PDB file of all heavy atoms in Angstrom:
ATOM      1  N   ILE A  14     233.069 115.821 183.815  1.00 98.00           N
ATOM      2  CA  ILE A  14     231.965 115.231 183.006  1.00 98.00           C
ATOM      3  C   ILE A  14     231.953 115.782 181.559  1.00 98.00           C
ATOM      4  O   ILE A  14     231.848 115.047 180.623  1.00 98.00           O
ATOM      5  CB  ILE A  14     230.618 115.583 183.700  1.00 98.00           C
ATOM      6  CG1 ILE A  14     230.485 114.838 184.988  1.00 98.00           C
ATOM      7  CG2 ILE A  14     229.442 115.323 182.782  1.00 98.00           C
ATOM      8  CD1 ILE A  14     229.276 115.315 185.848  1.00 98.00           C
ATOM      9  N   VAL A 124     201.367 166.586 156.491  1.00 84.00           N
ATOM     10  CA  VAL A 124     200.889 167.432 157.558  1.00 84.00           C
ATOM     11  C   VAL A 124     201.824 167.345 158.775  1.00 84.00           C
ATOM     12  O   VAL A 124     201.778 168.257 159.623  1.00 84.00           O
ATOM     13  CB  VAL A 124     199.465 167.157 158.021  1.00 84.00           C
ATOM     14  CG1 VAL A 124     198.431 167.453 156.831  1.00 84.00           C
ATOM     15  CG2 VAL A 124     199.308 165.664 158.469  1.00 84.00           C
ATOM     16  N   SER A 127     207.795 167.378 161.086  1.00 62.00           N
ATOM     17  CA  SER A 127     209.207 166.920 161.245  1.00 62.00           C
ATOM     18  C   SER A 127     209.811 166.684 159.856  1.00 62.00           C
ATOM     19  O   SER A 127     209.140 166.260 158.887  1.00 62.00           O
ATOM     20  CB  SER A 127     209.287 165.680 162.029  1.00 62.00           C
ATOM     21  OG  SER A 127     208.545 164.676 161.464  1.00 62.00           O
ATOM     22  N   ILE A 247     221.219 106.679 184.169  1.00 98.00           N
ATOM     23  CA  ILE A 247     221.187 107.453 185.371  1.00 98.00           C
ATOM     24  C   ILE A 247     220.751 106.571 186.536  1.00 98.00           C
ATOM     25  O   ILE A 247     219.645 106.031 186.499  1.00 98.00           O
ATOM     26  CB  ILE A 247     220.247 108.641 185.212  1.00 98.00           C
ATOM     27  CG1 ILE A 247     220.582 109.506 183.987  1.00 98.00           C
ATOM     28  CG2 ILE A 247     220.270 109.518 186.510  1.00 98.00           C
ATOM     29  CD1 ILE A 247     219.505 110.553 183.656  1.00 98.00           C
ATOM     30  N   GLY A 376     214.475 127.202 193.420  1.00 97.00           N
ATOM     31  CA  GLY A 376     215.744 126.696 192.833  1.00 97.00           C
ATOM     32  C   GLY A 376     216.838 126.699 193.904  1.00 97.00           C
ATOM     33  O   GLY A 376     216.508 126.704 195.045  1.00 97.00           O
TER      34      GLY A 376
END
Side-chain angles (χ1 to χ4, degrees):
I14 290 170
V124 296
S127 59
I247 306 169

